[in-house]
């Protein structure tokens, strides 16, 4: 973890990580980039991370790159937890 990541809160870290993934896939053809972001998050983010991700996306996705926002439609929404 970089010093920059250490200084961030959980939500900011998720935005940072999602944007890093999008940066990696930005050099691919657009549709492949969208699919790549979604596939990576589906494979490597646990349901808790994806739940927080969707809370942010549903609130407008502040700070997220457009590729991340577009990929959200292909990312598996985790089941809601009982309160």
């Amino acid at each position: 973890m970089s010093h920059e990541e250490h200084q961030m809160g959980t939500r900011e870290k998720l935005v940072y990580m999602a944007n890093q993934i999008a940066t990696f896939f930005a050099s691919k053809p657009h549709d492949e980039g969208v699919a790549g972001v979604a596939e990576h998050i589906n494979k490597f983010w646990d349901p808790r991370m994806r739940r927080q991700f969707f809370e942010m996306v549903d609130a407008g996705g502040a700070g997220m790159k457009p590729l991340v926002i577009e990929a959200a439609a292909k990312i598996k929404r985790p089941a809601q937890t009982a309160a």
Side-chain angles (χ1 to χ4, degrees), residues 1-2 12 17-18 23-24 27-30 32 34 43-44 54 58 63 66 71-72 76-77 80-81:
M1 182 180 303
S2 72
E12 291 84 6
M17 292 188 312
T23 297
F24 175 82
S27 64
K28 305 283 186 189
H30 184 76
E32 189 178 329
V34 170
K43 278 186 177 180
F44 299 109
F54 278 111
D58 293 344
K76 298 177 206 156
R77 278 189 183 260
Q80 294 297 317
T81 57

Side-chain angles (χ1 to χ4, degrees), residues 3 5 7 13 31-33 35 43 48 65 67-68 75:
H3 179 70
E5 289 174 296
Q7 298 296 320
K13 284 181 189 174
D31 290 345
E32 189 178 329
K43 278 186 177 180
R48 178 187 51 83
K65 292 186 175 198
L67 199 60
V68 174
I75 296 171

Side-chain angles (χ1 to χ4, degrees), residues 2 9 12 14 27 34 38-39 42 47 53 55 60 62-64 70 72 79 82:
S2 72
E12 291 84 6
L14 291 177
S27 64
V34 170
E39 181 180 9
N42 283 328
F53 170 81
E55 287 172 5
M64 293 181 183
E70 194 171 341

